[in-house]
mmCIF file of all heavy atoms in Angstrom:
data_model
loop_
_atom_site.group_PDB
_atom_site.id
_atom_site.type_symbol
_atom_site.label_atom_id
_atom_site.label_comp_id
_atom_site.label_asym_id
_atom_site.label_seq_id
_atom_site.Cartn_x
_atom_site.Cartn_y
_atom_site.Cartn_z
ATOM 1 N N PRO M 221 -95.828 11.808 52.865
ATOM 2 C CA PRO M 221 -96.465 10.978 51.845
ATOM 3 C C PRO M 221 -97.919 11.388 51.567
ATOM 4 O O PRO M 221 -98.359 11.357 50.414
ATOM 5 C CB PRO M 221 -96.397 9.563 52.432
ATOM 6 C CG PRO M 221 -95.262 9.610 53.395
ATOM 7 C CD PRO M 221 -95.266 11.003 53.958
ATOM 8 N N SER M 222 -98.642 11.801 52.590
ATOM 9 C CA SER M 222 -100.041 12.174 52.358
ATOM 10 C C SER M 222 -100.149 13.478 51.568
ATOM 11 O O SER M 222 -101.031 13.632 50.728
ATOM 12 C CB SER M 222 -100.815 12.255 53.672
ATOM 13 O OG SER M 222 -100.250 13.222 54.522
ATOM 14 N N ALA M 223 -99.244 14.415 51.798
ATOM 15 C CA ALA M 223 -99.244 15.649 51.008
ATOM 16 C C ALA M 223 -98.916 15.332 49.547
ATOM 17 O O ALA M 223 -99.531 15.883 48.629
ATOM 18 C CB ALA M 223 -98.250 16.650 51.572
ATOM 19 N N LEU M 224 -97.978 14.437 49.327
ATOM 20 C CA LEU M 224 -97.631 14.062 47.952
ATOM 21 C C LEU M 224 -98.785 13.337 47.264
ATOM 22 O O LEU M 224 -98.982 13.485 46.055
ATOM 23 C CB LEU M 224 -96.358 13.223 47.930
ATOM 24 C CG LEU M 224 -95.089 13.985 48.329
ATOM 25 C CD1 LEU M 224 -93.890 13.052 48.371
ATOM 26 C CD2 LEU M 224 -94.833 15.171 47.407
ATOM 27 N N ALA M 225 -99.564 12.585 48.026
ATOM 28 C CA ALA M 225 -100.763 11.956 47.448
ATOM 29 C C ALA M 225 -101.740 13.040 46.990
ATOM 30 O O ALA M 225 -102.343 12.936 45.910
ATOM 31 C CB ALA M 225 -101.420 11.031 48.463
ATOM 32 N N LEU M 226 -101.887 14.102 47.780
ATOM 33 C CA LEU M 226 -102.754 15.215 47.382
ATOM 34 C C LEU M 226 -102.176 15.952 46.175
ATOM 35 O O LEU M 226 -102.921 16.457 45.331
ATOM 36 C CB LEU M 226 -102.960 16.181 48.548
ATOM 37 C CG LEU M 226 -103.797 15.631 49.708
ATOM 38 C CD1 LEU M 226 -103.824 16.618 50.868
ATOM 39 C CD2 LEU M 226 -105.209 15.294 49.254
ATOM 40 N N ALA M 227 -100.850 16.009 46.072
ATOM 41 C CA ALA M 227 -100.221 16.626 44.901
ATOM 42 C C ALA M 227 -100.562 15.831 43.638
ATOM 43 O O ALA M 227 -100.860 16.409 42.593
ATOM 44 C CB ALA M 227 -98.707 16.702 45.097
ATOM 45 N N ARG M 228 -100.531 14.505 43.735
ATOM 46 C CA ARG M 228 -100.907 13.672 42.579
ATOM 47 C C ARG M 228 -102.362 13.926 42.171
ATOM 48 O O ARG M 228 -102.682 13.985 40.988
ATOM 49 C CB ARG M 228 -100.713 12.194 42.911
ATOM 50 C CG ARG M 228 -99.284 11.745 42.927
ATOM 51 C CD ARG M 228 -99.196 10.218 43.129
ATOM 52 N NE ARG M 228 -97.858 9.843 43.468
ATOM 53 C CZ ARG M 228 -97.403 9.648 44.707
ATOM 54 N NH1 ARG M 228 -98.224 9.788 45.738
ATOM 55 N NH2 ARG M 228 -96.162 9.306 44.917
ATOM 56 N N VAL M 229 -103.234 14.070 43.161
ATOM 57 C CA VAL M 229 -104.645 14.355 42.872
ATOM 58 C C VAL M 229 -104.767 15.724 42.207
ATOM 59 O O VAL M 229 -105.518 15.884 41.231
ATOM 60 C CB VAL M 229 -105.503 14.278 44.156
ATOM 61 C CG1 VAL M 229 -106.912 14.794 43.906
ATOM 62 C CG2 VAL M 229 -105.535 12.846 44.684
ATOM 63 N N ALA M 230 -104.030 16.717 42.701
ATOM 64 C CA ALA M 230 -104.081 18.056 42.103
ATOM 65 C C ALA M 230 -103.655 17.995 40.637
ATOM 66 O O ALA M 230 -104.274 18.629 39.775
ATOM 67 C CB ALA M 230 -103.200 19.029 42.882
ATOM 68 N N TRP M 231 -102.631 17.209 40.346
ATOM 69 C CA TRP M 231 -102.208 17.068 38.946
ATOM 70 C C TRP M 231 -103.316 16.416 38.115
ATOM 71 O O TRP M 231 -103.630 16.886 37.009
ATOM 72 C CB TRP M 231 -100.916 16.281 38.840
ATOM 73 C CG TRP M 231 -100.538 16.022 37.411
ATOM 74 C CD1 TRP M 231 -100.488 14.821 36.783
ATOM 75 C CD2 TRP M 231 -100.184 16.991 36.417
ATOM 76 N NE1 TRP M 231 -100.120 14.979 35.468
ATOM 77 C CE2 TRP M 231 -99.932 16.309 35.218
ATOM 78 C CE3 TRP M 231 -100.065 18.383 36.424
ATOM 79 C CZ2 TRP M 231 -99.564 16.957 34.042
ATOM 80 C CZ3 TRP M 231 -99.701 19.032 35.256
ATOM 81 C CH2 TRP M 231 -99.454 18.321 34.085
ATOM 82 N N ALA M 232 -103.931 15.382 38.641
ATOM 83 C CA ALA M 232 -105.005 14.699 37.908
ATOM 84 C C ALA M 232 -106.193 15.638 37.658
ATOM 85 O O ALA M 232 -106.819 15.587 36.603
ATOM 86 C CB ALA M 232 -105.454 13.458 38.665
ATOM 87 N N LEU M 233 -106.482 16.506 38.614
ATOM 88 C CA LEU M 233 -107.596 17.449 38.463
ATOM 89 C C LEU M 233 -107.310 18.533 37.425
ATOM 90 O O LEU M 233 -108.231 19.144 36.892
ATOM 91 C CB LEU M 233 -107.910 18.132 39.799
ATOM 92 C CG LEU M 233 -108.564 17.274 40.873
ATOM 93 C CD1 LEU M 233 -108.568 18.018 42.211
ATOM 94 C CD2 LEU M 233 -109.973 16.895 40.463
ATOM 95 N N ASN M 234 -106.040 18.795 37.160
ATOM 96 C CA ASN M 234 -105.660 19.911 36.296
ATOM 97 C C ASN M 234 -104.935 19.511 35.026
ATOM 98 O O ASN M 234 -104.603 20.374 34.217
ATOM 99 C CB ASN M 234 -104.746 20.873 37.080
ATOM 100 C CG ASN M 234 -105.478 21.567 38.189
ATOM 101 O OD1 ASN M 234 -106.226 22.488 37.963
ATOM 102 N ND2 ASN M 234 -105.291 21.081 39.414
ATOM 103 N N GLU M 235 -104.662 18.239 34.845
ATOM 104 C CA GLU M 235 -103.846 17.807 33.713
ATOM 105 C C GLU M 235 -104.494 18.199 32.391
ATOM 106 O O GLU M 235 -105.669 17.957 32.158
ATOM 107 C CB GLU M 235 -103.626 16.300 33.761
ATOM 108 C CG GLU M 235 -102.641 15.813 32.737
ATOM 109 C CD GLU M 235 -102.337 14.336 32.885
ATOM 110 O OE1 GLU M 235 -103.009 13.653 33.668
ATOM 111 O OE2 GLU M 235 -101.428 13.882 32.195
ATOM 112 N N THR M 236 -103.698 18.826 31.555
ATOM 113 C CA THR M 236 -104.132 19.220 30.218
ATOM 114 C C THR M 236 -102.966 18.962 29.281
ATOM 115 O O THR M 236 -101.833 18.776 29.731
ATOM 116 C CB THR M 236 -104.498 20.718 30.157
ATOM 117 O OG1 THR M 236 -103.362 21.475 30.562
ATOM 118 C CG2 THR M 236 -105.682 21.050 31.023
ATOM 119 N N PRO M 237 -103.198 18.974 27.979
ATOM 120 C CA PRO M 237 -102.064 18.828 27.067
ATOM 121 C C PRO M 237 -101.019 19.904 27.348
ATOM 122 O O PRO M 237 -101.347 21.039 27.668
ATOM 123 C CB PRO M 237 -102.688 19.019 25.680
ATOM 124 C CG PRO M 237 -104.125 18.672 25.880
ATOM 125 C CD PRO M 237 -104.470 19.080 27.288
ATOM 126 N N CYS M 238 -99.785 19.527 27.228
ATOM 127 C CA CYS M 238 -98.678 20.430 27.524
ATOM 128 C C CYS M 238 -98.661 21.604 26.560
ATOM 129 O O CYS M 238 -98.875 21.434 25.357
ATOM 130 C CB CYS M 238 -97.358 19.658 27.442
ATOM 131 S SG CYS M 238 -95.904 20.649 27.784
#
Side-chain angles (χ1 to χ4, degrees):
S222 60
L224 292 176
L226 291 174
R228 285 186 194 96
V229 171
W231 175 246
L233 289 169
N234 293 283
E235 188 175 9
T236 58
C238 180

